[in-house]
Amino acid sequence: MDEVKTVINTLKNNKTLGEDNINSELIKLAGKQLTTEIHKLTYIVWIREKISMDWNLAITCPIFKKGVKVENYR
């Protein structure tokens, strides 16, 4: 439980929302009940050694800096 609290407290603020539209500030403000539920979920994943297929979803957007842009970036 202490590890979950530590990770939640070290989440960076003002980051782009993910697919779930939940930001780190909301998780930090949610309190003990959400921390407990996250701990339970993490424990279940650890014991079963399987994660939901939905957790494999990620949104990646390239941010080009100075220089030549790569065409047809995928």
Side-chain angles (χ1 to χ4, degrees), residues 1-9 34-36 38-39 42:
M1 189 67 149
D2 290 335
E3 284 184 77
V4 174
K5 289 179 189 176
T6 301
V7 170
I8 289 173
N9 289 331
L34 180 62
T35 303
T36 302
I38 291 172
H39 180 264
T42 305

Side-chain angles (χ1 to χ4, degrees), residues 59-64 73:
I59 300 171
T60 305
C61 299
I63 300 174
F64 297 105
Y73 185 83

Side-chain angles (χ1 to χ4, degrees), residues 14-56:
N14 302 318
K15 292 293 183 179
T16 305
L17 300 178
E19 184 69 20
D20 57 9
N21 290 323
I22 300 173
N23 61 21
S24 57
E25 291 91 340
L26 181 61
I27 294 172
K28 288 178 183 181
L29 291 173
K32 186 177 180 179
Q33 185 174 357
L34 180 62
T35 303
T36 302
E37 293 302 320
I38 291 172
H39 180 264
K40 288 178 187 177
L41 180 61
T42 305
Y43 180 77
I44 290 169
V45 169
W46 182 271
I47 296 300
R48 293 184 183 171
E49 297 182 1
K50 292 182 182 178
I51 62 170
S52 169
M53 290 300 291
D54 293 337
W55 290 8
N56 289 325

